[in-house]
Each structure stands twice: as C-alpha cells, then as structure tokens.
Amino acid sequence: MDASPLRIVTYNVRYFGHMLKGLASTIGPKRRVAAALATLDPLPDVVCLQEVETSSIRSNIVHRPTRPGETQLEAFMERVEETFALQGRDMPYEAFYFRAHHYKLGELSLYTTGLAMLVNTRTLQVDKHNVEAPEHITHHHVQGLKERKQSRICAHMRVLRRRDQRAFHIFNTHLSLPTPFAREFWATRDKMGCGSNQLHEARKLTEFIQLHSKTEPFVVCGDFNSPPSSPVYRYLTGDAHLTCAQAAVGQIDPTLSRAFPTAGFMRMRMHLDHLFSGGGVSWLDADETRPFGDLTSRFHGLSDHVPLIARFKLDAAAPALIL
C-alpha cells in the first residue's frame, strides 16, 4: 500500500484582480500566482480555486483575451504553462472549471463567478466530476431577490491515486455572506458565520458530501465566510463531524475567531477559509500556510485571501469482506 502523503491548496484568488481592488483582472496577478504555486515543493496534487471568472467585461477589460472565447481559467493556465516552461519543467496540471453565476445586461456579460480545480495528473487520475452541473447550495432568504443573488455551488471530483488506485473525493465551495434580511444579522456583533442562510448552505453542503463520498475519504475546502468558533464552523466540526486541518495539526485554536486571519479588507482581518476532511483522512501539516499580512509568504499581496496549504494521508482501507 502506498502511504505517500498528498498535498492540497485552497485559494480565493479574487478573479486575479487584486491589483485593481477586484475591479478588473490583470495579467500580472495571474503570472505571480502561477509562479508562487510552481515554487511549492513538493507540488500540490490538487489546487482548488475560488472566485474565478468565465469571461466578462471585468475579466477582459484590462487583460484582453489572446483568442476569441478564451476564459479566465484558460488565461491563467497559459501563465502556469509559461512558468513551468521557463523553469525547464513539464506542467503536470489539468484544469476544470465549475461555473456558478452569470450577471448580464441584455446580451452583455458584466461578470461571472465560479470555482476551479487543478489536478496533478502525475499523481492522480480523475474518475468523475460535476463540471457540467455543479451542485447549487444557495439559500434564498428573500425569494424576490433570487435572480439577483450570487449563486453558490459545490464542485465535486472523485480521483484515484495512481500508485494504488485508492479513491478519494475533493469538494470545493464558497458560501454566501450572512444575509442582512434576518433578525440575527443585526442582533450580533460578529456577523460572519452567523447567518441563517449560511447555516442552510452548510447543511446542503454536508448532505451533498455524504451523498457522494459514502464511505470513501474526502476533503472539503474553500471560502466559508465563517471564522472558527462561529455557528457555521461549529456545525461543520460538530454536527457534521468534519475535521478541520488547521486545528488537527495545531496551527489554530478553534475557539478563537481572529487569531489566524486568512483574508483582509482595509484594516479588517478575518479567518474565512478552511480545509476540512472526513472518511479516513489524517492531516499531517500545514507548514507553508501563512496568515494574511505575513510579508514572508510567497503569496503576499496577490489576493485579499491567502491560500491554505496542507498535507494529508489516506488511512488504510478497510479489508474487503470474504463471504
């Protein structure tokens, strides 16, 4: 049995538009994010990205497509190819895009939202995914605003470790912000992770995970817009029995909401991004994960979030029953 660890990165890249405060995507952040990922040693087996556009005014107004119909993920992957080529290495990643929402004015695409997964094909083989129909988990607190609210999805992929064909699942998501249309939004000082809509989405997410992972190991990651100690975090690690990677390796105290920020806005610092697991995953370390604002991070200044980078192993599979 191959016991070599696996490595995963989850990163909200803010449409690769952080240089212009998220207003438009530029080529510089794509190139720098690609370069930062390529310097990780060992290379990640899976990279999960949040806030990735399809194609729109925002994604194209500054960085013009090199060919008609080019998506933002395709443009980013060209920078990844370029980075590996400059280092004299073959690029091992296959990219998958999971579209969430499309804001249009008539036929004009204003901006789009989505998730992406990059799979290292040297170490993993993709068995199946839900690219064509990502799971919608959005909770619409106000039905009249349903069409205007940004859709939230869960991207799912079942992969096989090439060395031994051991299967496991990857779930990538981005939960909503807390709704201001609920009474508890105004009744609490700390609002992130306290929204009733966020709890509804967390329940939909775990139901979807249970449906597809069954008894197999899984990792679920993304931007949960919920800090440790929040109701959403407590639900996921309590009722849903998920294991938090950072807590498991001693990087955070899960009772503290602001001790390890993963995102920043002006002077605000928030812990919004998480890596969870279940079904036989053991976390080994999160050594290259740095808090937001750490000047030593190779990802400093590339987004309003920092990536979470962790290694894990799959527990030994249960022996097959002989009847």
Side-chain angles (χ1 to χ4, degrees):
M1 176 68 67
D2 174 51
S4 60
L6 295 155
R7 200 175 204 195
I8 187 168
V9 173
T10 180
Y11 192 14
N12 183 327
V13 293
R14 200 190 188 190
Y15 312 110
F16 303 102
H18 190 60
M19 183 181 294
L20 297 181
K21 308 299 182 185
L23 296 175
S25 174
T26 58
I27 195 169
K30 294 185 184 73
R31 184 171 284 132
R32 288 192 286 275
V33 170
L37 288 171
T39 60
L40 291 173
D41 185 20
L43 286 173
D45 300 281
V46 180
V47 178
C48 293
L49 303 176
Q50 300 86 45
E51 294 199 30
V52 180
E53 289 241 32
T54 311
S55 181
S56 68
I57 290 178
R58 182 171 64 179
S59 66
N60 295 334
I61 193 169
V62 175
H63 176 209
R64 306 304 298 175
T66 58
R67 62 183 180 279
E70 180 187 62
T71 66
Q72 187 174 77
L73 183 59
E74 288 171 338
F76 172 63
M77 292 309 295
E78 287 183 5
R79 304 288 77 76
V80 178
E81 286 267 15
E82 174 187 274
T83 299
F84 277 87
L86 289 171
Q87 297 174 359
R89 297 192 291 168
D90 292 330
M91 197 278 290
Y93 291 105
E94 182 177 3
F96 298 81
Y97 184 70
F98 304 79
R99 182 166 166 168
H101 202 89
H102 192 188
Y103 290 88
K104 299 181 70 176
L105 182 61
E107 293 303 311
L108 191 63
S109 180
L110 299 178
Y111 72 95
T112 53
T113 61
L115 307 170
M117 291 194 200
L118 279 54
V119 177
N120 188 329
T121 57
R122 292 177 191 158
T123 58
L124 299 176
Q125 173 186 336
V126 176
D127 176 49
K128 59 184 178 181
H129 55 71
N130 66 348
V131 164
E132 297 301 323
E135 182 71 7
H136 283 269
I137 61 171
T138 319
H139 178 72
H140 298 284
H141 193 83
V142 179
Q143 289 298 314
L145 299 177
K146 184 175 180 178
E147 296 306 316
R148 298 184 182 181
K149 177 172 170 50
Q150 184 169 319
S151 296
R152 303 298 179 171
I153 61 172
C154 181
H156 168 236
M157 187 174 288
R158 184 179 188 263
V159 295
L160 305 174
R161 191 166 52 184
R162 287 194 179 276
R163 291 192 179 184
D164 59 5
Q165 294 296 289
R166 182 76 190 280
F168 66 99
H169 298 257
I170 304 293
F171 298 90
N172 181 16
T173 195
H174 186 182
L175 297 192
S176 294
L177 292 166
T179 177
F181 297 104
R183 184 179 302 147
E184 61 268 21
F185 180 86
W186 304 104
T188 58
R189 176 177 176 271
D190 294 323
K191 299 178 176 14
M192 302 299 281
C194 298
S196 58
N197 62 316
Q198 294 181 297
L199 278 168
H200 278 290
E201 290 177 0
R203 293 188 185 102
K204 286 183 181 179
L205 173 66
T206 54
E207 289 169 3
F208 179 68
I209 291 169
Q210 291 165 4
L211 176 65
H212 289 276
S213 65
K214 296 182 174 65
T215 60
E216 294 178 324
F218 65 86
V219 172
V220 53
C221 63
D223 179 353
F224 289 80
N225 278 313
S226 305
S229 80
S230 68
V232 166
Y233 180 93
R234 293 199 305 271
Y235 167 77
L236 292 171
T237 57
D239 294 1
H241 307 293
L242 301 185
T243 298
C244 172
Q246 289 182 284
V249 301
Q251 191 172 63
I252 66 165
D253 179 343
T255 65
L256 303 177
S257 63
R258 293 185 173 87
F260 195 106
T262 65
F265 175 72
M266 300 180 72
R267 294 183 179 274
M268 295 176 61
R269 298 292 180 266
M270 300 162 284
H271 190 157
L272 306 179
D273 307 87
H274 300 286
L275 273 166
F276 298 109
S277 65
V281 168
S282 296
W283 294 102
L284 302 175
D285 65 64
D287 291 347
E288 296 215 46
T289 298
R290 300 285 184 271
F292 185 87
D294 187 336
L295 300 179
T296 67
S297 171
R298 70 190 78 202
F299 295 92
H300 176 70
L302 301 185
S303 173
D304 58 350
H305 290 248
V306 291
L308 303 187
I309 307 164
R311 291 190 313 145
F312 63 96
K313 67 181 181 72
L314 304 179
D315 296 345
L321 294 176
I322 300 176
L323 301 178

